[in-house]
Amino acid sequence: MKLVCLLGATGSIGDSSLDVLMQQPDYFRLHSIAAHSNWKKALLIAQKFKVTRICMFDPEAAKALSSALGHPVLVGIEGLQELASEPEVDIVINALVGSVGCLPTLSAIQKGKHIALANKETLVMAGPVIQEALEQNPSAFITPIDSEHSAIFQCLAGSSNHEVEELQITASGGPFRTWDLEAFKNIRVQDALNHPVWNMGQKITIDSASMMNKGLEVIEAHFLFQIPYNQIQVVVHPQSIVHSLVQFQDGSLMAQLGSPDMRIPIQVALHWPERPKLDTPKIHLPTLKTLDFYEPDFNKFPCLALAYEAGKQGGVVPAMMNAANEVLVEAFLKEKIKFIDIAKHIECVMSKAPQINSKLTLEQALEADQEARTLVQSLI
Ligand code: NAD
Ligand code: MG
């Protein structure tokens, strides 16, 4: 029986994770949960799963939940880090959204835990720092929850990197794949939130519409699998049935297929290399008939090109790009900027990123995150 800490329990990945845990009562027990401010949903989860170790990031929400439960509730980033470090916990599922996920991931690594990672922003912001922490704590390891990275992880299945020619990350293309570039200046919030395949949190849904999500995933793949950027390609695949592929040197192209259902990669991340039964929709190939694949359009989706550029430049550039994107997505959702301003302002922030000549430190990553937030506010 493994004890699980679920950070981001009230979100979309949180929901899917709880479903997987419910289906696997012989393997996992939920030990602790964390969320931002939805304390009523956290209360329901705590009661259903009999969890007493809880963190609400927002102090008001923590107070409300604490009085509803009649016992203390942890608060803020320290609370998230405390839950991720608890000695009883075997697996930390990091389903937080945004760069707030970075420090709890590091805490879990420092305690030698298994981290099932959905929070791609952790690796974008501080990939080299995470890598170094993993080297220093060899009992800690990350399994990816992001469906594309889960697919690559499964296709690699322990093959060595020199056998890999390239990783091919699939992208649904989002709601604007077939729109004319001319129409992009009129994109409304509801258009961008209308993802054709996946039902996800708001931030990743907007990132999918701009294809910044795919850009973040390219950087995530670089750090997870230690593959250079010129060997990571993006291929648009609107059906989201092929979740990604690995082209091997010998000509074999391995793919992982499945319904677009996040419970599958979550279960893989928790159980690998075992594959117990999970109640999910299965694919019947004849009903699909066709699977389509296209080159990505970097012209229509400049965020994808910017992310490649940030990854290749390295240093604090990915952290600054990531933080600027977080602020801009929020501003777009509040209708303070246009959709096309997201890429424009990110490019501006990236152009102001300082060069660093040594390996990225945690302090530099955190500072760059803050600096980008200030910079981008002045642009908005
Ligand atoms: P979401 O917005 O639905 O949920 C985010 C969760 O994080 C919520 O529980 C929220 O309360 C919590 N949270 C946010 N800020 C917090 C803070 N400061 N302190 C504590 N908790 C905080 O987002 P999501 O769609 O579940 O995505 C979560 C992560 O998983 C993101 O990094 C996303 O890119 C990644 N991801 C999501 C999907 C998906 O299908 N939803 C797929 C692949 C990867
Ligand atoms: Mg993904």
Side-chain angles (χ1 to χ4, degrees):
M1 176 68 73
K2 295 207 165 138
L3 296 193
V4 176
C5 163
L6 175 56
L7 307 177
T10 59
S12 158
I13 293 290
D15 286 341
S16 300
S17 300
L18 291 171
D19 188 278
V20 172
L21 297 182
M22 280 228 305
Q23 290 197 45
Q24 310 282 346
D26 297 338
Y27 295 97
F28 305 110
R29 189 162 71 73
L30 189 61
H31 175 267
S32 45
I33 57 170
H36 185 273
S37 43
N38 189 350
W39 67 269
K40 288 185 180 160
K41 185 164 179 184
L43 176 64
L44 292 177
I45 298 168
Q47 287 167 337
K48 185 168 179 189
F49 287 84
K50 300 190 172 45
V51 169
T52 54
R53 298 293 290 158
I54 307 169
C55 169
M56 295 304 299
F57 189 84
D58 176 62
E60 290 303 314
K63 215 187 280 172
L65 183 56
S66 173
S67 62
L69 285 165
H71 64 71
V73 166
L74 300 170
V75 191
I77 186 70
E78 294 81 11
L80 297 178
Q81 290 182 274
E82 188 172 330
L83 289 188
S85 320
E86 284 187 317
E88 303 90 321
V89 167
D90 299 294
I91 307 176
V92 175
I93 301 179
N94 187 341
L96 299 169
V97 62
S99 63
V100 72
C102 181
L103 289 175
T105 306
L106 270 176
S107 302
I109 294 174
Q110 281 153 4
K111 296 290 175 187
K113 305 217 182 284
H114 170 187
I115 299 115
L117 187 67
N119 180 261
K120 61 193 84 184
E121 293 92 345
T122 285
L123 287 167
V124 176
M125 175 180 176
V129 179
I130 300 292
Q131 246 171 11
E132 195 174 8
L134 286 169
E135 280 158 24
Q136 287 166 356
N137 297 277
S139 58
F141 62 99
I142 292 177
T143 51
I145 283 183
D146 215 345
S147 55
E148 296 77 2
H149 306 75
S150 175
I152 293 167
F153 180 76
Q154 294 175 64
C155 292
L156 286 170
S159 299
S160 67
N161 274 9
H162 70 265
E163 296 167 336
V164 173
E165 190 160 304
E166 64 179 24
L167 308 180
Q168 299 183 0
I169 302 183
T170 53
S172 71
F176 307 128
R177 181 177 65 84
T178 56
W179 283 38
D180 287 335
L181 181 56
E182 190 47 35
F184 273 49
K185 60 179 188 294
N186 300 322
I187 288 173
R188 298 164 306 165
V189 172
Q190 66 261 43
D191 302 323
L193 283 176
N194 184 23
H195 196 281
V197 186
W198 299 94
N199 185 7
M200 312 177 283
Q202 285 201 333
K203 194 247 173 189
I204 185 175
T205 304
I206 301 300
D207 284 348
S208 300
S210 68
M211 288 193 79
M212 176 53 92
N213 182 51
K214 216 43 57 180
L216 300 177
E217 290 183 357
V218 166
I219 301 175
E220 179 186 13
H222 169 78
F223 286 113
L224 275 175
F225 305 114
Q226 310 281 311
I227 298 284
Y229 287 104
N230 60 7
Q231 288 170 253
I232 305 176
Q233 308 305 331
V234 170
V235 54
V236 176
H237 167 48
Q239 293 91 352
S240 295
I241 295 293
V242 177
H243 295 299
S244 278
L245 313 93
V246 177
Q247 172 71 68
F248 286 95
Q249 300 267 7
D250 65 2
S252 293
L253 181 59
M254 301 287 287
Q256 185 259 345
L257 282 70
S259 299
D261 183 327
M262 287 308 294
R263 293 174 302 173
I264 301 169
I266 290 168
Q267 147 120 333
V268 170
L270 295 177
H271 268 293
W272 183 262
E274 280 152 38
R275 294 180 180 275
K277 184 173 167 54
L278 184 72
D279 185 15
T280 49
K282 307 292 186 289
I283 299 255
H284 180 60
L285 286 172
T287 59
L288 292 175
K289 295 196 176 61
T290 56
L291 294 173
D292 301 312
F293 300 95
Y294 308 96
E295 297 283 355
D297 186 337
F298 288 93
N299 227 0
K300 270 182 7 186
F301 300 101
C303 284
L304 182 57
L306 288 170
Y308 265 107
E309 185 54 35
K312 285 175 185 165
Q313 285 185 23
V316 295
V317 184
M320 291 190 73
M321 176 197 75
N322 178 61
N325 181 58
E326 276 181 47
V327 176
L328 291 163
V329 167
E330 221 175 288
F332 170 69
L333 285 168
K334 291 186 180 144
E335 300 182 341
K336 288 185 186 161
I337 58 165
K338 287 185 179 172
F339 187 78
I340 49 173
D341 292 334
I342 297 177
K344 194 175 84 188
H345 293 330
I346 289 173
E347 188 170 12
C348 180
V349 169
M350 279 171 59
S351 72
K352 298 197 166 111
Q355 286 282 338
I356 59 165
N357 300 317
S358 49
K359 201 169 177 190
L360 182 74
T361 65
L362 177 62
E363 292 67 34
Q364 286 170 328
L366 294 171
E367 212 174 284
D369 179 277
Q370 281 310 316
E371 197 183 321
R373 284 168 201 273
T374 315
L375 254 170
V376 85
Q377 280 300 349
S378 69
L379 298 173
I380 296 169

